Amino acid sequence: MKFADWEPHYTAILEYFGFEREADEAAARLLADLADRDDVGLLEALIRGREVTVCGNAPSLPDEIDRIEGTILAADAAAEVLADHGIRPDAVFTDLDGATDVFIDLSEQGTVMVVHAHGDNVPLLRHWVPRIPGPFVATTQAAPLPHVYNFGGFTDGDRAVFAADELGAARIRIIGFDLADKNVDPLKRGKLYWAGELLRLIGYEL
């Protein structure tokens, strides 16, 4: 998705939550400084022309694992659920708020870490990015920078779907998503609302 097409949705999200564009932009610049490599080519090779399964971290994920096919993209802490079931995701899309040392283990095994910068996760970026040893892709929800990408999307899960769509997946299967979850705080409920709205933009109704 071109940023010119994404920007109206991004602006609406900023207004909805009261987030500051300047903070997102500063975080993206920091991530650009912290990241010493760009493995978007590897990420695209894992996705283009392939069946892709995007795994969210809803409580239903363990019961849906048998539906996984093809390239596996995990949304943040869903990666740990998959690892606990003996499954290594091909890529993890994360703003690092669910990061644990399992992410480092997966990275060492070759999982691509697609790390997202936003205004609220600067301390997490400083802590985790230098520790990630394996393939790495940097993303932002603000205007892209050299080697910091914006594929569209807002939450870890819908960003993974947007990336799979943008990078040419033949088919995208979505599991472990519950956009109607009532057992979350108001901020999370708002994020789930936007995830649904954005996924509809590219033809996914959950």
Side-chain angles (χ1 to χ4, degrees), residues 41-119:
L42 173 58
L43 181 65
E44 182 171 359
L46 291 166
I47 291 172
R48 185 162 299 280
R50 300 193 180 192
E51 173 108 2
V52 172
T53 302
V54 176
C55 303
N57 193 38
S60 62
L61 177 59
D63 297 327
E64 297 182 76
I65 281 176
D66 60 357
R67 297 182 55 213
I68 290 175
E69 293 184 14
T71 296
I72 305 168
L73 309 182
D76 201 52
E80 191 157 356
V81 175
L82 295 174
D84 287 345
H85 285 78
I87 298 169
R88 182 180 69 82
D90 295 289
V92 178
F93 285 72
T94 178
D95 65 358
L96 300 173
D97 65 0
T100 69
D101 286 341
V102 170
F103 283 30
I104 305 303
D105 295 340
L106 292 171
S107 177
E108 289 174 342
Q109 296 171 51
T111 293
V112 182
M113 289 294 160
V114 186
V115 174
H116 188 70
H118 59 69

Side-chain angles (χ1 to χ4, degrees), residues 3-205:
F3 185 70
D5 297 326
W6 166 249
E7 189 170 19
H9 308 291
Y10 174 50
T11 299
I13 289 167
L14 292 174
E15 292 174 352
Y16 182 94
F17 289 102
F19 295 156
E20 296 181 358
R21 181 186 294 242
E22 293 79 9
D24 285 343
E25 292 170 343
R29 291 192 297 270
L30 171 65
L31 181 55
D33 290 341
L34 291 171
D36 60 1
R37 58 202 180 280
D38 176 3
D39 294 299
V40 73
L42 173 58
L43 181 65
E44 182 171 359
L46 291 166
I47 291 172
R48 185 162 299 280
R50 300 193 180 192
E51 173 108 2
V52 172
T53 302
V54 176
C55 303
N57 193 38
S60 62
L61 177 59
D63 297 327
E64 297 182 76
I65 281 176
D66 60 357
R67 297 182 55 213
I68 290 175
E69 293 184 14
T71 296
I72 305 168
L73 309 182
D76 201 52
E80 191 157 356
V81 175
L82 295 174
D84 287 345
H85 285 78
I87 298 169
R88 182 180 69 82
D90 295 289
V92 178
F93 285 72
T94 178
D95 65 358
L96 300 173
D97 65 0
T100 69
D101 286 341
V102 170
F103 283 30
I104 305 303
D105 295 340
L106 292 171
S107 177
E108 289 174 342
Q109 296 171 51
T111 293
V112 182
M113 289 294 160
V114 186
V115 174
H116 188 70
H118 59 69
D120 292 332
N121 75 337
V122 165
L124 292 171
L125 295 173
R126 293 188 186 278
H127 176 76
W128 286 105
V129 171
R131 299 180 59 199
I132 295 172
F136 191 92
V137 176
T139 65
T140 177
Q141 58 205 27
L145 303 171
H147 308 295
V148 182
Y149 299 90
N150 186 335
F151 301 115
F154 178 53
T155 71
D156 293 320
D158 64 271
R159 281 201 317 276
V161 178
F162 269 78
D165 184 75
E166 179 74 12
L167 295 176
R171 182 168 179 263
I172 302 171
R173 173 172 297 190
I174 301 172
I175 67 172
F177 278 55
D178 181 4
L179 302 184
D181 189 351
K182 304 299 183 186
N183 298 312
V184 295
D185 61 45
L187 177 61
K188 180 65 172 180
R189 195 171 301 129
K191 290 180 177 180
L192 293 176
Y193 161 77
W194 274 103
E197 291 295 300
L198 295 172
L199 287 171
R200 277 190 281 276
L201 287 176
I202 55 173
Y204 294 90
E205 187 82 36

